[in-house]
Amino acid sequence: MRVVGTAGHVDHGKSTLIAALTGTHPDRLKEEQAREMTIELGFGWLTLPNGEEIGIVDVPGHRDFIENMLSGIGGIDAALLVIAADESIMPQTREHLAILDLLQIPAGIIVLTKTDLAPDPAWLDLVETDIRAAVSGTVLDNAPILRVSAKTREGLDDLISRLGTLLESKPARLDLNRPRLPIDRVFSMSGFGTIVTGTLLDGHLALGDEVEIVPSGQRGRVRGLQTHKKKESTAVPGSRTAVNVSGIDTESVQRGEVVIHPGQYQPTRRLDARLRLLKDVSSSLKHNSEVKFFVGASEAVGMLRLLGTEELHPGEEGWVQLELRTPIVTVRGDRYILRRPSPSETLGGGVIVNHQPKGRHKRFDEKVLRSLESVMQGTPADVLFEAALALNIASLRDVVTRSRLEAADAETALKELLEAGSLIPLEEGPPAIVGDLLVITQPHWNALQDKTLQMVEGYHKNYPLRRGIPREELKSRLKLSSHAFNALIRKLITDHLLTDHSAFIAQPGHEISFDHSQQARVQGLMRKFEQNPYSPPSVKECEAEVGEEILNALIELKEFITVSSDVLFRRQDYDLMVARIKQEIQQKDSITLAETRTRFNTSRKYAQALLEHMDATGITTRDGDFRKLRRK
Ligand SMILES: Nc1nc2c(ncn2[C@@H]2O[C@H](COP(=O)(O)OP(=O)(O)OP(=O)(O)O)[C@@H](O)[C@H]2O)c(=O)[nH]1
Ligand SMILES: [Mg+2]
């Protein structure tokens, strides 16, 4: 599951675009409709051409509501930077772009909308030149610029298909088994109670789970789950999720709090971070400035301590420690934004390096600065894990090469990760750091295992009359190399999650079964075989009678034995014919085609097909007109 977010200047057509793409206008509030302006976050969803459903977060463009924008943009997988063709780049276009860049949003498309209002194509070319200059050096540097009009719908199909390709090329959200849902809306529904919504990260939530809302620390249970207005029994990472939490007062929950499994995250008020100040801020930032801090859907006011300098100038980076007035929930690696409270202005942002520093750091201390540097790099185990994450399935040699770790560090880190189960060998063998042994990280393994099992299950549902999914088809759908695919399937079979019928893969216990109407057709066909067991209907006639799927299933189930491309017999008739032929040869040393024909009162076609099949399966050999038993 993925979530896409909008960004861009006020009135540039974000909400209208979402309405055109999803069929639902994201502005729900009366005030929004009256003012034709987004104030709060809006939500929608759509289905991509590949069938994937994605959520959409619509944000306000007006500068007065930029803090609402920040509460919705944190968890997105891709951004649509919307620019009106008649106005081109405006102040909040730049500000939102800077925010997307500070948050390092992984993918994006620049949507040049309202093209129906552009005076001529040459104008659009000029606007595009300006856009290219503005996004240069940012996360959207190579993003496509698509020309659309939400009014005439021109370019919308292309936009959806480009969005599909873009997301397909990006890895899905990982399940790290520690869900967190930063709350961006809280409301109550009569008969249900408290409902909170947000983009679920880092793990899944299931019905009945005990949950904690932090930092307030209230406990409750998941009574209902919805993704895109559909009820679910589990919600997966990356999905827009609404959680009905029982046992909690709606009034006591705030936007910005986080739903978690009890005890998995601790609120904090002190953070170490790397900060980049935007190039175009109005003034430098001094030590001990008051700032507004935004992470996930939460915000907090705090003091900013500059650890290595008295003052940070526009465009500069530095190490900082934040002392927040109210606790928040975040982890190392999260990206954040800082704003000046007044006059309000987006200052910059960066990455959280430590969410639980031991204490207040001494300033201008080389040791502190060096340790922050190395914490940002991570321990050797972190570095090796990240290399493995980036490679998905890879040999240990490739993982270690990518990590650039020294051999001794790599050895220790590898041992640590294998023992913790964070890195999983896909095959048997010695875990040597220079070896070919394939490994996968635990979150990737969970995702791959789920995906594979779902594909097999889905195949059984779609083709209940087949033994299982053909190996080759599963391999190409999973887009894996032969080596990785074989290792994966072997592991799943060893773990009893799949079974192997040579060319087919199936769920253990899957059996071909016919429904009532299919059974009736099968019985009809069987009666025809009973009437003429030795001159039964041909393969073509059988197909016409019950269809190819059912006939194949009957062959799979060994109800029928196919002896040639056109002739098949019921198994019991086949067995009887073979037994009788063998008996006759034993008595007279051989049998001819003509004798076989007479014996079963059948035609040459059937007798010949049967005898040739017996030759081919090694029961008989042919000697001129005669068949003899093959010597063992
Ligand atoms: N002609 C034309 N008008 C458009 C198009 N898209 C949006 N508009 C109009 O532009 C105005 C603003 O559109 P919105 O979708 O509300 O803009 P927005 O970016 O969501 O605005 P905020 O949420 O307030 O930032 C509305 O009157 C729309 O009808 C378009 O493609 N062509
Ligand atoms: Mg809007």
Side-chain angles (χ1 to χ4, degrees), residues 119-420:
D120 54 62
W123 167 260
L124 290 177
D125 293 342
L126 284 178
V127 174
E128 282 200 11
T129 311
D130 287 349
I131 295 175
R132 278 281 162 238
V135 299
S136 158
T138 72
V139 272
L140 294 188
D141 204 344
N142 294 313
I145 303 178
L146 302 186
R147 300 180 179 189
V148 312
S149 162
K151 194 168 168 197
T152 67
R153 303 194 62 84
E154 174 133 9
L156 294 187
D157 289 342
D158 187 36
L159 171 58
I160 291 183
S161 93
R162 292 292 283 266
L163 194 56
T165 350
L166 187 69
L167 289 175
E168 256 177 20
S169 69
K170 304 281 167 186
R173 291 287 180 152
L174 295 176
D175 191 334
L176 305 174
N177 253 324
R178 38 164 214 204
R180 50 177 176 146
L181 182 94
I183 299 173
D184 50 34
R185 276 181 75 202
V186 190
F187 54 94
S188 71
M189 258 172 80
S190 66
F192 291 93
T194 305
I195 297 180
V196 297
T197 71
T199 302
L200 182 60
L201 303 173
D202 293 348
H204 58 271
L205 282 177
L207 279 182
D209 280 2
E210 193 186 4
V211 288
E212 185 179 356
I213 298 189
V214 278
S216 61
Q218 310 170 77
R219 298 266 176 117
R221 235 170 236 296
V222 176
R223 204 178 129 189
L225 281 173
Q226 285 195 2
T227 296
H228 307 155
K229 302 236 159 113
K230 277 193 298 285
K231 281 191 190 156
E232 305 280 359
S233 54
T234 52
V236 297
S239 57
R240 283 292 314 164
T241 306
V243 191
N244 178 199
V245 194
S246 67
I248 285 180
D249 250 4
T250 309
E251 286 71 39
S252 64
V253 184
Q254 306 288 323
R255 172 162 104 182
E257 289 202 85
V258 183
V259 182
I260 62 169
H261 281 162
Q264 283 201 326
Y265 294 88
Q266 264 72 46
T268 175
R269 286 171 52 188
R270 180 178 284 142
L271 299 164
D272 294 344
R274 185 81 184 156
L275 170 65
R276 171 159 63 91
L277 212 56
L278 292 176
K279 274 206 267 311
D280 46 6
V281 283
S282 58
S283 61
S284 317
L285 193 60
K286 295 200 172 49
H287 175 64
N288 265 347
S289 299
E290 191 180 64
V291 290
K292 266 175 141 177
F293 170 85
F294 297 83
V295 75
S298 57
E299 60 175 274
V301 175
M303 296 299 273
L304 180 75
R305 306 187 57 236
L306 298 179
L307 298 177
T309 173
E310 279 303 342
E311 204 173 334
L312 212 54
H313 299 105
E316 280 182 353
E317 281 195 26
W319 292 111
V320 302
Q321 191 163 45
L322 280 143
E323 305 277 356
L324 304 174
R325 259 187 234 152
T326 47
I328 50 125
V329 175
T330 181
V331 290
R332 171 171 180 265
D334 280 354
R335 300 210 154 247
Y336 70 94
I337 298 289
L338 284 190
R339 287 182 41 90
R340 196 195 302 278
S342 90
S344 67
E345 177 183 17
T346 301
L347 295 170
V351 64
I352 309 283
V353 174
N354 191 348
H355 57 281
Q356 253 141 7
K358 288 211 185 70
R360 217 173 127 92
H361 294 310
K362 221 167 101 189
R363 298 179 65 215
F364 303 106
D365 182 332
E366 272 308 311
K367 245 173 67 193
V368 168
L369 298 175
R370 262 205 312 274
S371 98
L372 285 171
E373 196 79 51
S374 73
V375 176
M376 178 139 125
Q377 304 291 322
T379 63
D382 291 339
V383 173
L384 195 68
F385 185 74
E386 266 155 38
L389 266 186
L391 291 175
N392 198 352
I393 299 179
S395 70
L396 267 177
R397 179 188 297 121
D398 289 348
V399 174
V400 171
T401 307
R402 186 182 171 104
S403 75
R404 295 160 181 267
L405 288 172
E406 301 286 331
D409 283 346
E411 289 277 8
T412 330
L414 175 62
K415 214 165 147 238
E416 206 177 299
L417 292 178
L418 289 172
E419 266 166 24

Side-chain angles (χ1 to χ4, degrees), residues 79-146:
L80 300 176
L81 180 64
V82 176
I83 302 173
D86 54 339
E87 284 199 335
S88 188
I89 295 178
M90 296 293 276
Q92 269 63 53
T93 317
R94 289 189 197 280
E95 187 168 14
H96 286 195
L97 173 63
I99 288 167
L100 298 178
D101 190 45
L102 290 168
L103 296 175
Q104 289 290 299
I105 299 301
I109 292 178
I110 299 157
V111 187
L112 188 54
T113 185
K114 302 201 195 184
T115 48
D116 57 298
L117 298 180
D120 54 62
W123 167 260
L124 290 177
D125 293 342
L126 284 178
V127 174
E128 282 200 11
T129 311
D130 287 349
I131 295 175
R132 278 281 162 238
V135 299
S136 158
T138 72
V139 272
L140 294 188
D141 204 344
N142 294 313
I145 303 178
L146 302 186

